[in-house]
Amino acid sequence: MDSPSDDVVAYRYGFLGGPYDTVRPDEPGGAVAIPFLPLRSGPNTLAVRALDRAGRSSGETSYRFFVKSGRAPVAHWNLADPAGSATAAAETGTAAEAGSGVTFGGAAPSGTGLASAAVLDGSSHAYLTPGGPAVADPRKTFAVSGWARPAQTDRTMTVAAQDAGDASAFALGLDARGERPVWSFTVGGARVTGGAPETGEWAHLLGVYDAETGEAQLYVNGRAVGTKAKAEPGAGTGDFQIGRARDGRGHHDRWHGGLAGIRVHDRVVVPTEAAELAHRKPRSLGHWSLENATDGASPEQDGGTPLKLGTGAAIHRGPDGSCVPDLDPDCPAVPDALVGDGHLTLDGETGHAATSGPVLDTSDSFSIGVVVRLADAEPSRPMTVLSQGGTHTDVFKVRYEPSEYAWQLVMPVADEEGAAEVVVAQVSTTEGEEQRLAVVYDDATDRIRLYLDGMTSAEGTADFPDGWESSGPLQVGRARVGDGWGEYLRGDVDEVHAFAGAIDDGDVRQLGWGVEPCLC
């Protein structure tokens, strides 16, 4: 920024969407240069005004420019090679030689598009290397990322690193040297840590070094963790390593578990890209529209496991259009279905519907939605609309609690009688009308959310760090109570839709209308 006037003492500027700030030249009338990191591609505009000593402003000068999409990785290994392979093919860069402690064909993180993963056994032969550097100069900006699934969390292990003489220029992995294990990114003597590794759970890790700011940053599952740290990388470059790091003792901190999708960029990976790299697309597990029933069972829309109707449960069919009550006095008045042509009606005493086995893997991210209408404006007792059980208690249940005038999501922390429960709630202000409920458990962020009519709140959200696996079937209209069943729902239920993975707010708002969410 510069001005022909020697009276200018400051420049007020702003980029489209920010940041906005004021900067001052070293001396009046001087020019000023500022760094700017665009966080999205596309058109942008810089607008500047010059200010003199009296605070008077010049007219605004604007400069329009176009930000291109970020460059592709300089090195990329999916690690989805066929079982028995001795090398990992490179999407970009040089193929990586695999040690004998690497096995290809392992299970990949679901929802990522990766077909399989490499499994490293933690031995001295558990590594892959292209035999050369992936980061040409660690003193310049770079980013390294990958999917990691630790088989243990009680020892320090490396996802990716690069040799620099007898040390490592940088390393991304798991640090178990503190009171609890954390994910870690080290570069130039700086260390950023955060997140909570879990044995057998996939996580996406991204370490970024920005030479412009001199700071290192760590992302876990698409979210920044820890505190940025000032780093001073050295000039040494050596071989890039997958699954091990180097120090004066040679290579060590070998990875034990699964790895996939290793990428190296020669630029900053911005937050939106970090979220995209870590995204796992949800998958539909079942959609019960409850339009009809055959032999006491309502079918799943795509031919999966049906919901078997218990005593006190029936399918209500809406008007078939054969007559119009207003025109024909003999035409019976038939209430409309909640959604579509039919819904499930439950008597509040024994009425329920259930699958033959578990639908949701509750140890991992899951989502489920339902449309419900209570028969009574002011119920006298709690009533459950959805639950799925373990051996001793329900893994989760969604119930109406009349004393709170609210829908609650109840999730015990363990499969034990009397286990502590995490409860979130959404106050219901609608009586006698249909309501759309949804539950989302995001294992990557260890959060549960309860939605009412497409909206959630602080009261509807909570931490839930350790999801546990369900062994019981999906239940509609009842919950586990002691050694038996209870909290039977009196009312109507429709559009039960279950997913593997955490669906986003936009998909939640699409639930309960008889259409499939996009699952973007």
Side-chain angles (χ1 to χ4, degrees):
M1 305 171 197
D2 200 0
S3 171
S5 173
D6 60 7
D7 195 33
V8 170
V9 295
Y11 299 95
R12 183 178 296 127
Y13 72 90
F15 291 91
L16 181 65
Y20 307 93
D21 206 350
T22 299
V23 290
R24 299 180 180 276
D26 292 336
E27 56 186 45
V32 175
I34 62 168
F36 172 59
L37 175 64
L39 298 181
R40 59 177 178 81
S41 60
N44 207 319
T45 301
L46 168 62
V48 183
R49 292 179 181 269
L51 306 177
D52 66 11
R53 290 182 177 89
R56 293 173 298 189
S57 171
S58 71
E60 184 176 88
T61 299
S62 62
Y63 176 70
R64 182 178 170 85
F65 58 100
F66 192 90
V67 182
K68 296 169 62 176
S69 296
R71 293 186 299 276
V74 294
H76 180 191
W77 300 271
N78 276 332
L79 305 185
D81 303 86
S85 297
T87 59
E91 301 293 310
T92 307
T94 305
E97 178 186 354
S100 59
V102 178
T103 303
F104 292 103
S110 61
T112 62
L114 293 166
S116 61
V119 179
L120 285 67
D121 66 9
S123 71
S124 60
H125 303 288
Y127 69 90
L128 300 99
T129 179
V135 175
D137 186 348
R139 296 171 300 179
K140 297 181 179 179
T141 297
F142 71 90
V144 57
S145 63
W147 288 96
R149 184 186 192 186
Q152 59 184 107
T153 58
D154 57 353
R155 76 178 199 185
T156 298
M157 302 189 293
T158 304
V159 173
Q162 185 164 293
D163 297 344
D166 291 334
S168 292
F170 61 84
L172 180 70
L174 187 156
D175 188 343
R177 289 170 289 191
E179 294 182 359
R180 60 182 180 85
V182 290
W183 296 113
S184 171
F185 177 50
T186 60
V187 56
R191 183 188 303 272
V192 185
T193 61
E198 296 182 41
T199 301
E201 296 288 343
W202 283 104
H204 187 268
L205 310 180
L206 166 66
V208 178
Y209 171 66
D210 185 349
E212 182 67 40
T213 63
E215 293 179 329
Q217 186 168 18
L218 174 64
Y219 293 83
V220 177
N221 293 319
R223 294 169 174 81
V225 299
T227 304
K228 292 181 181 179
K230 284 287 186 179
E232 297 181 0
T237 57
D239 294 349
F240 186 75
Q241 306 288 343
I242 300 173
R244 65 182 182 180
R246 187 178 183 88
D247 67 7
R249 298 177 288 118
H251 288 107
H252 63 109
D253 292 346
R254 295 173 175 85
W255 185 260
H256 182 201
L259 294 176
I262 305 296
R263 301 171 190 245
V264 178
H265 287 85
D266 62 350
R267 61 175 177 84
V268 169
V269 174
V270 298
T272 53
E273 293 178 303
E276 290 169 358
L277 288 172
H279 179 63
R280 300 176 69 175
K281 184 176 180 180
R283 174 173 54 89
S284 177
L285 297 175
H287 181 189
W288 295 269
S289 57
L290 299 169
E291 302 282 328
N292 49 62
T294 303
D295 297 329
S298 188
E300 194 276 323
Q301 190 161 287
D302 295 321
T305 181
L307 280 168
K308 186 175 181 181
L309 275 57
T311 304
I315 296 295
H316 166 79
R317 296 285 295 177
D320 59 11
S322 60
C323 62
V324 180
D326 290 342
L327 301 178
D328 183 356
D330 295 327
C331 181
V334 179
D336 290 333
L338 289 181
V339 182
D341 296 328
H343 64 239
L344 177 68
T345 181
L346 303 172
D347 66 2
E349 298 178 1
T350 59
H352 70 281
T355 57
S356 58
V359 171
L360 299 163
D361 177 1
T362 51
S363 65
D364 203 350
S365 299
F366 71 85
S367 308
I368 189 166
V370 65
V371 180
V372 60
R373 179 174 59 198
L374 299 178
D376 303 310
E378 296 185 5
S380 60
R381 57 180 176 79
M383 295 188 293
T384 293
V385 61
L386 292 174
S387 68
Q388 187 168 298
T391 302
H392 303 289
T393 187
D394 288 321
V395 179
F396 76 91
K397 64 179 176 181
V398 181
R399 71 177 182 181
Y400 184 77
E401 175 51 70
S403 65
E404 302 289 337
Y405 300 97
W407 289 99
Q408 295 179 337
L409 167 62
V410 181
M411 295 187 67
V413 300
D415 190 8
E416 301 170 359
E417 293 183 13
E421 297 175 333
V422 177
V423 181
V424 297
Q426 292 281 51
V427 174
S428 174
T429 59
T430 304
E431 297 181 353
E433 296 183 11
E434 63 197 63
Q435 297 177 297
R436 285 162 173 80
L437 300 170
V439 171
V440 176
Y441 168 52
D442 189 345
D443 188 44
T445 60
D446 292 331
R447 299 284 283 174
I448 55 174
R449 301 194 300 274
L450 174 64
Y451 292 80
L452 175 59
D453 293 330
M455 305 295 292
T456 189
S457 63
E459 293 74 18
T461 307
D463 292 328
F464 194 81
D466 297 310
W468 48 278
E469 189 173 359
S470 170
S471 58
L474 176 66
Q475 302 283 340
V476 179
R478 67 178 183 179
R480 185 74 64 84
V481 175
D483 294 330
W485 298 101
E487 296 190 2
Y488 283 94
L489 180 82
R490 174 174 153 80
D492 304 320
V493 179
D494 210 347
E495 289 293 312
V496 178
H497 208 156
F499 306 88
I503 64 176
D504 62 22
D505 290 353
D507 287 330
V508 167
R509 287 189 286 270
Q510 295 181 57
L511 295 179
W513 302 100
V515 298
E516 293 292 324
C518 68
L519 299 182
C520 301

